[in-house]
Amino acid sequence: MIIAIDGPAASGKGTLAKRIAEHWGLPCLDTGLLYRAVARDVVLLGFRIDDPWAALIAARSLHPAELLDPDLRTPQAGDAASIVARIPQVRTALLVYQRAFATQPGGAVLDGRDIGTVVCPDADAKIYVTARTEVRAKRRFLECQGRGEGVTIEGILADIRRRDERDASRGSAPMRPADDADLLDTSDLDIEAAFDAAVGLIKRKIGQ
Ligand SMILES: Nc1ncnc2c1ncn2[C@@H]1O[C@H](COP(=O)(O)OP(=O)(O)O)[C@@H](O)[C@H]1O
Ligand SMILES: Nc1ccn([C@@H]2O[C@H](COP(=O)(O)OP(=O)(O)O)[C@@H](O)[C@H]2O)c(=O)n1
């Protein structure tokens, strides 16, 4: 069974994807980490973040073990990721790994921006997770604060708005719900309630 979870920044898709994967005993891939790692590697190689050649080299030489770096979780890494994510060749290079992960025996859960539309258009269930921008900013703020990062709510809100705009307006695999995705607004749901709602949507889709 393949489950696709998409949505804008800090909507809670990663949290849901992990819980759903545990529930059904499936492996889980946070595809945003791939773009974050490519952006990090472009900078480490000494190139400008919008250099398409360097980004393609970084994407082609990416190793899954490099996704565990905690620095990839910062808002700066997310912003840089959305810049390399606009480059079509980078997306194509990362597609191979994502498709192989999704089609492993038994299936998988993947979360990102284009899982339901591009990576796994035939997924058994697709959920597009949303939440009001202010709610998302508050959640990300609390998360960063918990890690001891010096962030402000205004800074996080600006980052989320800028990134959503960039992700939704790019020409290649823009962020959008697949036509057959179920929408889940988690603004007024805690993690447990959001998980219950997601499980209900998936069960309905797969006929359980
Ligand atoms: N429904 C929810 N209610 C409150 N906090 C949530 C909810 N879903 C996720 N969070 C918290 O919000 C933050 C961002 O969630 P995350 O799953 O990382 O979002 P995304 O993967 O969409 O960026 C995390 O700290 C997470 O624990
Ligand atoms: N499938 C995906 C996943 C992420 N991305 C890009 O990578 C960036 C970081 O993604 P993420 O999922 O780690 O970000 P958050 O939603 O966790 O803040 C996004 O803003 C997108 O630009 C993408 O283009 N396609």
Side-chain angles (χ1 to χ4, degrees), residues 102-185:
T103 56
Q104 61 188 292
V109 180
L110 290 85
D111 81 88
R113 300 290 185 291
D114 62 338
I115 308 303
T117 52
V118 175
V119 179
C120 305
D122 297 327
D124 299 280
K126 301 179 184 179
I127 300 184
Y128 193 84
V129 188
T130 59
R132 288 188 298 277
T133 316
E134 288 72 15
V135 173
R136 292 189 278 127
K138 189 170 171 210
R139 289 177 185 167
R140 181 58 33 94
F141 172 73
L142 292 173
E143 179 190 334
C144 293
Q145 212 184 31
R147 286 196 300 256
E149 292 169 26
V151 289
T152 62
I153 189 85
E154 294 78 17
I156 296 277
L157 193 56
D159 170 71
I160 284 181
R161 288 203 169 114
R162 184 172 57 243
R163 209 142 55 85
D164 285 354
E165 161 63 22
R166 211 180 265 149
D167 290 345
S169 65
R170 68 180 173 227
S172 184
M175 170 177 78
R176 68 169 180 81
D179 294 339
D180 53 350
D182 286 310
L183 303 187
L184 177 57
D185 187 334

Side-chain angles (χ1 to χ4, degrees), residues 6-69:
D6 289 299
S11 53
K13 58 192 178 301
T15 304
L16 273 180
K18 280 191 209 83
R19 290 286 305 268
I20 289 165
E22 274 165 28
H23 183 78
W24 270 286
L26 295 169
C28 185
L29 179 64
D30 172 352
T31 64
L33 282 179
L34 302 172
Y35 294 91
R36 288 171 182 256
V38 168
R40 173 203 55 199
D41 293 348
V42 168
V43 174
L44 285 177
L45 286 166
F47 290 91
R48 276 170 48 128
I49 193 68
D50 59 352
D51 184 319
W53 179 84
L56 182 56
I57 299 287
R60 284 190 175 155
S61 48
L62 198 63
H63 197 276
E66 296 165 9
L67 303 179
L68 301 172
D69 177 358

